[in-house]
Amino acid sequence: MPHFLSVRDVPDLPQFLAEARAVKQTPFAWSHLGRHKTLGLIFMNPSLRTRLSTQRAAQNLGLNCMVLNTDKDSWKMATGEGVVMNGDAAEHIKDAVAVMGQYCEILGVRSFPMLVNREEDYAENTLHDFVRYAGVPIVSLESATRHPLQSAADLITIEQYKTKPRPKVVLTWAPHPRALPQAVPNSFAEWMLAAGLDLTIAHPEGYELDTQFTAGATLTHDQDAAFRGADFIYAKNWSSYHDEYGHILSRDKNWMITPAKMQLTNNAKFMHCLPVRRNVVVADAVLDGPNSIIIPQAANRVVAAQVVLKRLLEQI
Ligand code: AN0
Ligand code: CP
């Protein structure tokens, strides 16, 4: 059963990027592939881009699409084996997912971490319950530890804008008032390194990510040093992974991305996955400046989703 859960599900990145270029040029060339087939998008957490871009990608492939926001619109689900369901959950995830699999040829699921217990989050129980019980291919729409559709779009965007074969890409932590998952930075690092790009990760002390994602990157606590010579700046907040899992350890405003910081770079393009808090994570002048590529980056979410869905449809 093919799934799309991480970069491991794309062993041929150069071919994936070639398909992305083809999809971009002729988006409707595969509109027969999804005929009489249905994609189900299950959101346990909010979304704008993932929801709309994946729906649009499905439409381009002639694939029907159904969306369910389980946090608002359906029954609360119990998880785990042998639970006595006398609380507020009306059904078990194994029954709900098996039913969804009857209605769809492909299922996507968004399941954020709780940021309370690291072992539980990194076990990816919800994602694995979908893989185990659906009986159809599963697409991660951002799980507890990864956001592969975002990272795929990020790689497509860097390939589109790079002016040298191996650009210097910098992932930098930036401040945020709420504790956010590590999924976007984990996944971004994993994809950049799999693609063989030169990746530097800058963050305050204590924000080290799991080395299973970052091994091979240059790690630093010096944001200015990281920015020197950078061709791409990718900003993202995340909460702590190692000590005090899921907590905010720093609110240092000096880590916000400003025009002065961008001046240190090699005229770098600026990227962010969005949603972004203006003048907290990044200054307006950077987001609205000539080197910001946040909107084409978001546009590439359709391309990434379409390549993934196209590949799954070709295999089922
Ligand atoms: C989420 C996160 O940081 O994982 C989703 C980003 C695509 N962001 C927020 O919750 C603000
Ligand atoms: N970047 C991203 O996944 O955005 P949404 O949370 O709006 O889907």
Side-chain angles (χ1 to χ4, degrees):
M1 176 70 64
H3 300 287
F4 181 74
L5 312 180
S6 82
V7 75
R8 285 197 292 275
D9 295 312
V10 188
D12 54 342
L13 279 178
Q15 176 60 28
F16 184 90
L17 290 168
E19 279 175 58
R21 287 190 292 274
V23 158
K24 212 171 203 168
Q25 261 166 21
T26 55
F28 306 114
W30 297 270
S31 59
H32 58 284
L33 268 184
R35 195 170 136 84
H36 300 319
K37 293 199 167 65
T38 296
L39 167 71
L41 299 179
I42 311 303
F43 286 93
M44 299 185 163
N45 320 95
S47 169
L48 185 155
R49 280 141 289 271
T50 304
R51 174 179 174 148
L52 295 180
S53 64
T54 310
Q55 273 189 287
R56 178 58 204 259
Q59 282 172 18
N60 290 355
L61 293 163
L63 184 60
N64 289 306
C65 189
M66 304 192 294
V67 180
L68 182 65
N69 302 305
T70 59
D71 54 340
K72 300 182 192 80
D73 298 340
S74 81
W75 305 103
K76 194 167 162 47
M77 285 180 222
T79 59
E81 285 304 303
V83 283
V84 178
M85 289 172 53
N86 57 2
D88 52 356
E91 68 178 323
H92 197 278
I93 193 167
K94 66 161 81 170
D95 301 314
V97 169
V99 168
M100 292 170 191
Q102 299 298 307
Y103 304 151
C104 303
E105 278 73 23
I106 303 174
L107 278 173
V109 59
R110 167 164 284 197
S111 55
F112 283 0
M114 306 303 285
L115 295 179
V116 175
N117 179 317
R118 183 176 66 194
E119 281 62 43
E120 257 175 42
D121 285 347
Y122 276 66
E124 293 279 19
N125 292 323
T126 303
L127 187 66
H128 291 145
D129 281 347
F130 271 77
V131 168
R132 196 172 305 135
Y133 298 121
V136 298
I138 300 301
V139 176
S140 166
L141 306 175
E142 187 174 346
S143 69
T145 66
R146 291 179 171 90
H147 194 357
L149 282 176
Q150 180 65 53
S151 313
D154 297 338
L155 180 60
I156 290 167
T157 307
I158 288 172
E159 286 298 313
Q160 184 183 336
Y161 283 91
K162 74 180 186 185
T163 55
K164 56 174 82 142
R166 195 162 179 270
K168 177 177 176 180
V169 178
V170 176
L171 165 63
T172 179
W173 183 93
H176 196 283
R178 295 182 56 191
L180 296 186
Q182 298 100 32
V184 170
N186 283 345
S187 202
F188 182 75
E190 183 171 67
W191 280 71
M192 292 302 112
L193 294 166
L197 296 175
D198 173 8
L199 179 67
T200 298
I201 306 176
H203 55 71
E205 273 179 53
Y207 278 98
E208 284 72 17
L209 295 163
D210 186 345
T211 51
Q212 69 163 304
F213 303 101
T214 60
T218 303
L219 308 180
T220 177
H221 298 145
D222 185 339
Q223 194 187 40
D224 286 359
F227 273 42
R228 290 201 187 92
D231 299 298
F232 292 89
I233 298 294
Y234 192 103
K236 183 71 183 83
N237 171 269
W238 63 89
S239 60
S240 74
Y241 170 75
H242 284 285
D243 297 329
E244 297 188 68
Y245 173 74
H247 283 69
I248 297 175
L249 305 180
S250 167
R251 296 180 188 273
D252 188 350
K253 291 190 173 69
N254 292 319
W255 279 77
M256 183 173 87
I257 317 305
T258 59
K261 292 222 173 101
M262 292 300 290
Q263 283 295 325
L264 299 170
T265 68
N266 180 33
N267 197 26
K269 300 292 185 209
F270 178 80
M271 300 175 70
H272 190 285
C273 65
L274 307 182
V276 68
R277 290 186 184 232
R278 285 173 171 260
N279 305 309
V280 175
V281 177
V282 196
D284 279 340
V286 174
L287 287 167
D288 300 331
N291 284 19
S292 170
I293 55 171
I294 56 172
I295 303 304
Q297 180 186 358
N300 280 331
R301 291 293 305 272
V302 177
V303 179
Q306 194 173 335
V307 176
V308 168
L309 294 173
K310 171 181 165 294
R311 284 185 163 203
L312 294 179
L313 287 170
E314 283 164 347
Q315 285 178 53
I316 58 179

